[in-house]
Amino acid sequence: MSAPLPPDLPVPPGPATLTTDPWTDLRRHTQARIALGRCGVSVPTAELLRFGLAHAQARDAVQLALDADALCEALHAEGWSSLRTASAAPDRATYLLRPDLGRRLAAPQVQALRTRRPAADPELLIVIGDGLSSLAIARQALPLLRAIRASAPEGEAAIGRAEAPIVVATQARVALGDMIGEALGARMVAVLIGERPGLSSPDSLGLYLTREPRTGRTDAERNCISNIRPEGLSHERAAYKFWWHVLQARAQQATGVALKDMSDTQPLPGLGAPRPA
């Protein structure tokens, strides 16, 4: 017979039970990781598995290459003209290690774009860049462009026509739009780009608007509309904000810190009232 445990030793605990979090009901309103509950002193297994899946999806979104050919075909099918270009980063691995290369064009790409510069400088140029989530481009770019076209004020329907094609750029950072806009003579450039994935948002799209794009522009000279996706800022709401900023940028001759986002409280003539989120 084994000897009894000395009285000063702790008794081994029994099986841990799952303890729910009192904030559980709030999870209906957000994808943020709140009210996970606990099992003993640990995260419940189901939540650990969900975290692993979200982390894998975020990694995949960064690594996955954009199917630029398919995107251009989809643009053409909906009546938009497109033009391809690429940053100076030769591949995805270099792009991730050298952000500076993603912000500029290689010399041959600059020359190729200059040969396509239209006779009349485009008033507004749209650039679609893969950024850090090609998944965001695949899921959000076309729906956003449709919303932009559907809500365009009178006289703004020329986006994506032959004289101002939509430029599809691979291995792109936001500032690449400055060089593209400068090469094509655009007065304003809007860059639609995949944002850095979060653990609940691997497909979030950002839109950056810059007036008089040129090499050397800083982030302080552009406006950003972020988190464009059905679970964040809707395509229709983002399109409204986009046109509000375009019209105000023309009126104030500025983008960036000089142009404050008052789109929720100051509707503009010809644009209508703010759309619901």
Side-chain angles (χ1 to χ4, degrees), residues 7-271:
D8 56 338
L9 291 181
V11 177
T17 58
L18 180 64
T19 303
T20 58
D21 192 288
W23 287 7
T24 299
D25 287 345
L26 295 178
R27 298 185 69 173
R28 295 177 301 169
H29 306 290
T30 178
Q31 290 186 311
R33 282 183 161 71
I34 62 171
L36 300 184
R38 60 185 174 86
C39 190
V41 296
S42 303
V43 176
T45 300
E47 295 298 339
L48 185 63
L49 293 174
R50 291 190 186 100
F51 179 89
L53 174 62
H55 187 254
Q57 289 174 329
R59 288 174 61 90
D60 287 348
V62 171
Q63 298 288 347
L64 185 66
L66 175 67
D67 191 341
D69 291 335
L71 177 58
C72 289
E73 289 176 6
L75 290 170
H76 293 168
E78 300 206 21
W80 284 295
S81 176
S82 67
L83 179 62
R84 289 278 304 275
T85 192
S87 76
D91 51 51
R92 196 66 180 169
T94 305
Y95 168 81
L96 294 173
L97 291 170
R98 293 282 307 274
D100 58 309
L101 295 181
R103 298 186 184 107
R104 65 176 188 260
L105 297 166
Q109 296 288 349
V110 175
Q111 294 302 321
L113 287 175
R114 285 175 177 169
T115 63
R116 295 290 302 271
R117 181 167 178 164
D121 290 344
E123 186 67 29
L124 177 62
L125 182 71
I126 289 183
V127 175
I128 300 177
D130 48 6
L132 288 170
S133 175
S134 60
L135 185 63
I137 299 301
R139 292 181 177 176
Q140 319 300 347
L142 278 174
L144 177 58
L145 287 173
R146 294 186 192 112
I148 286 174
R149 180 165 59 183
S151 60
E154 186 177 353
E156 299 287 352
I159 290 177
R161 293 182 180 176
E163 60 271 23
I166 294 174
V167 180
V168 176
T170 51
Q171 317 297 9
R173 303 275 177 173
V174 173
L176 192 70
D178 298 334
M179 291 192 73
I180 294 171
E182 184 177 28
L184 292 173
R187 295 187 177 92
M188 198 179 308
V189 65
V191 178
L192 281 57
I193 196 164
E195 295 184 309
R196 179 178 286 104
L199 289 177
S200 60
S201 56
D203 59 350
S204 179
L205 184 74
L207 190 158
Y208 293 80
L209 188 69
T210 310
R211 181 179 173 273
E212 301 296 341
R214 63 174 181 270
T215 305
R217 286 290 194 198
T218 69
D219 288 341
E221 297 173 288
R222 42 181 138 260
N223 292 87
C224 174
I225 302 171
S226 185
N227 195 30
I228 302 171
R229 59 193 182 103
E231 300 82 2
L233 186 68
S234 70
H235 302 119
E236 292 74 21
R237 178 66 176 163
Y240 172 85
K241 282 182 170 288
F242 166 76
W243 284 119
W244 189 95
H245 281 84
V246 167
L247 297 179
Q248 282 292 74
R250 288 190 190 138
Q252 298 184 25
Q253 296 292 289
T255 52
V257 295
L259 176 58
K260 303 302 181 184
D261 183 2
M262 304 294 289
S263 58
D264 293 330
T265 58
Q266 296 182 5
L268 297 177
L271 193 55

